[in-house]
Amino acid sequence: MTSELYLLGFGPEGWGPVLARAGLMTLAVSLSAFLLGTMLGTLAVCGRVSGNALARRIAEIYVVVLRGVPDLLVIFLFYFGGRQVVAFFGTALGFEGPFDISGFAAGMLAIGLISGAGQSEVLRGAYQAVPKGTLEAGRVVGMTRWQLFRRVIAPQAMVTAIPGMGNQWQSVIKESALVSVTGLVETMRQVSIAAGTTQEHFLFYTAAAIIYLIITTLSDQVFRLLERRSMAGYAGASR
Amino acid sequence: MDVPYFASLFRDLLSGLPLTLNLAFLALLGGFVLALLLNLARTTRTGTAIAGTYVFFFRGTPLLVQLFMIYFGIAQFEFIRSSFLWPLLREPYWCGLIALMLNDAAYTSEILRGGLRAVPRGTQEAARVSGMSSLQILRRVTLPIAVRQALPAYSNEIISMLKSTALVSMISLMDVTGIAREAVAETWRAVEIFLCAGLIYLVLSLIVTRATSRAERALSPWQFGARQ
């Protein structure tokens, strides 16, 4: 197998540049899904802690459903289902087929939705850890809801949420491999193509494993750094 | 609504349920045993290094990569093809089960490790003083306390394994997801079919949540305000 290692290199026959680009695509789809998830997760927490019974119910159902259904199925639903919906409206509006939707968009939406449910659990825990006195103090000095969120809740909750959010980010990276079913050329898809072309399956799937390990390990370091930085203001925790 | 269509769709999808449950159950069982072994290995130095590397690899890479590595990757080696393992590794079922099992072991071993760390030293010392053997201590003192501690996290792992079995549809197995994909390829009614399949998994995970929270109550009644 060692004699085939040149296949992974950056030489004329090497798949190195393509794999590097695919790794960046994995990062791109993960990052956009994660940010979407953060927005949805924050909304879900707002719903769950709000006094509004309907909002709470919707947020709860969202979390239960998305945590109980396989990620793969959600991606299939968004990709093939999305195509079906687009085709339905497209035909109704008199456009000619065939209709297609972007794998990136479907994957990002699906994983963002899944991650939002997970992130809302983390964020809710972090919100509950915010000392109630600071909320009251903020309210007393006349802050609006948005100001309270931005200046009092978010800065404090972010500190508690960092380790949990790190885990959520790791899950998103691993889930992003499933987006390969839409044909989006990220790491997994590119590696499958390479393995099929060269018939070096083991070599290329090992390369995929290494690419994911690099991404997960590096992001672990980043989150650790963030954790240390965010604790800086707390006495005795700066080391 | 097209009732007869949905009735026959559910009948089709449910015929994949035995395979889904079979894979989830056996993967959890095998994964648990392996996780136990990994934790036992952590008592020695080399063992710790091996267990650490194992967990690092399986938790740091997507399950899909692991699955394809086993199903497509291993088959390319001549010595595997000629070994006694080939009749097993040729079958998608066994490849899927092995991948799920190895993956589950990594996550479960971390959950178990957390539980084991939470066992008070004193209880083990007391057991040793009263003359129990190491195996007896493990079975009667350490494991019961550790399992009780680890149950909430393990409940999440059960659900996550149940959902992960859907990946075996990528290597041509006909579990609930596999059947759903086939049905979509035939009829192109993707929204209805995938929603129905999702409903099946949702019900399963709700059952697991219910059952584990009941088990939690039974194992630590004092936390839920019961009298002792």
Side-chain angles (χ1 to χ4, degrees):
Chain A
M1 200 179 101
T2 40
S3 57
E4 272 83 38
L5 273 180
Y6 73 91
L7 284 172
L8 297 179
F10 288 78
E13 280 184 71
W15 289 76
V18 207
L19 288 181
R21 212 174 308 140
L24 289 180
M25 182 53 98
T26 290
L27 267 182
V29 77
S30 302
L31 208 59
S32 35
F34 185 77
L35 291 178
L36 178 66
T38 308
M39 282 186 262
L40 290 171
T42 311
L43 275 180
V45 175
C46 290
R48 286 173 96 167
V49 301
S50 78
N52 188 331
L54 181 70
R56 198 166 55 214
R57 198 93 198 104
I58 293 173
E60 271 168 11
I61 291 174
Y62 162 61
V63 173
V64 168
V65 168
L66 267 297
R67 305 201 79 191
V69 175
D71 317 331
L72 187 62
L73 217 47
V74 180
I75 293 172
F76 279 142
L77 180 67
F78 271 78
Y79 186 58
F80 294 107
R83 260 210 311 221
Q84 188 188 350
V85 171
V86 169
F88 177 78
F89 284 110
T91 333
L93 292 172
F95 290 108
E96 289 276 313
F99 299 97
D100 205 354
I101 62 168
S102 123
F104 188 96
M108 182 195 88
L109 280 175
I111 294 182
L113 214 57
I114 296 164
S115 177
Q119 288 185 48
S120 88
E121 300 277 274
V122 175
L123 293 173
R124 187 168 64 126
Y127 172 77
Q128 278 163 349
V130 172
K132 290 288 160 285
T134 59
L135 290 181
E136 284 158 15
R139 222 168 276 141
V140 167
V141 299
M143 286 191 187
T144 64
R145 270 180 149 181
W146 171 244
Q147 279 179 324
L148 205 61
F149 175 75
R150 203 171 57 84
R151 296 197 192 162
V152 180
I153 302 175
Q156 296 188 84
M158 228 136 70
V159 178
T160 353
I162 287 174
M165 292 299 259
N167 287 337
Q168 294 297 324
W169 166 245
Q170 303 274 1
S171 313
V172 166
I173 295 166
K174 288 177 267 171
E175 280 155 14
S176 77
L178 301 181
V179 180
S180 58
V181 298
T182 66
L184 178 72
V185 185
E186 40 68 80
T187 309
M188 196 63 209
R189 177 86 192 131
Q190 187 62 71
V191 159
S192 295
I193 295 170
T197 314
T198 59
Q199 288 301 311
E200 289 292 337
H201 295 278
F202 194 79
L203 179 72
F204 277 103
Y205 287 120
T206 309
I210 291 169
I211 293 174
Y212 284 108
L213 280 177
I214 291 173
I215 298 178
T216 49
T217 313
L218 283 183
S219 26
D220 194 42
Q221 295 298 321
V222 171
F223 271 95
R224 260 179 220 200
L225 198 74
L226 281 179
E227 203 178 330
R228 225 175 308 145
R229 287 287 283 285
S230 68
M231 296 292 273
Y234 291 77
S238 50
R239 268 153 290 148
Chain B
M1 209 167 82
D2 191 354
V3 176
Y5 171 71
F6 278 97
S8 82
L9 175 62
F10 264 109
R11 216 171 23 243
D12 284 350
L13 289 175
L14 284 175
S15 69
L17 194 58
L19 181 60
T20 295
L21 291 178
N22 169 309
L23 284 168
F25 180 74
L26 291 180
L28 284 165
L29 196 68
F32 191 84
V33 174
L34 211 53
L36 215 53
L37 292 178
L38 282 172
N39 272 292
L40 286 178
R42 281 189 189 270
T43 48
T44 64
R45 210 169 202 187
T46 26
T48 309
I50 294 171
T53 315
Y54 180 91
V55 170
F56 172 72
F57 178 80
F58 280 94
R59 295 216 315 175
T61 57
L63 175 56
L64 193 60
V65 173
Q66 297 155 18
L67 184 67
F68 280 8
M69 243 173 141
I70 294 174
Y71 185 63
F72 296 114
I74 283 184
Q76 112 188 33
F77 294 111
E78 195 45 50
F79 67 92
I80 296 275
R81 283 170 173 275
S82 52
S83 80
F84 69 97
L85 284 172
W86 183 236
L88 284 187
L89 289 172
R90 194 170 53 183
E91 298 289 336
Y93 170 81
W94 288 102
C95 289
L97 183 58
I98 290 169
L100 287 169
M101 209 183 268
L102 294 178
N103 183 268
D104 174 66
Y107 287 90
T108 306
S109 88
E110 286 297 282
I111 293 171
L112 211 54
R113 192 158 71 108
L116 287 171
R117 254 207 308 234
V119 177
R121 266 278 126 117
T123 59
Q124 285 160 326
E125 282 161 11
R128 185 155 301 135
V129 168
S130 64
M132 288 190 193
S133 69
S134 297
L135 196 67
Q136 276 178 324
I137 297 176
L138 186 69
R139 197 169 57 83
R140 294 200 192 159
V141 180
T142 316
L143 271 188
I145 300 177
V147 166
R148 192 184 301 159
Q149 289 283 349
L151 200 60
Y154 193 60
S155 146
N156 284 336
E157 178 57 23
I158 297 177
I159 293 175
S160 136
M161 250 308 112
L162 207 56
K163 299 197 297 182
S164 296
T165 59
L167 290 196
V168 299
S169 67
M170 302 289 292
I171 53 171
S172 79
L173 283 178
M174 281 307 188
D175 67 325
V176 175
T177 307
I179 291 173
R181 287 179 69 181
E182 197 190 43
V184 170
E186 278 168 11
T187 60
W188 281 102
R189 298 172 80 161
V191 176
E192 299 96 314
I193 293 171
F194 286 134
L195 281 180
C196 288
L199 192 63
I200 293 176
Y201 286 99
L202 186 61
V203 170
L204 286 180
S205 66
L206 288 179
I207 293 173
V208 172
T209 312
R210 204 40 85 72
T212 47
S213 79
R214 193 166 286 182
E216 228 172 285
R217 266 161 199 271
L219 285 174
S220 29
W222 60 90
Q223 282 187 351
F224 297 92
R227 271 167 207 282
Q228 293 194 19

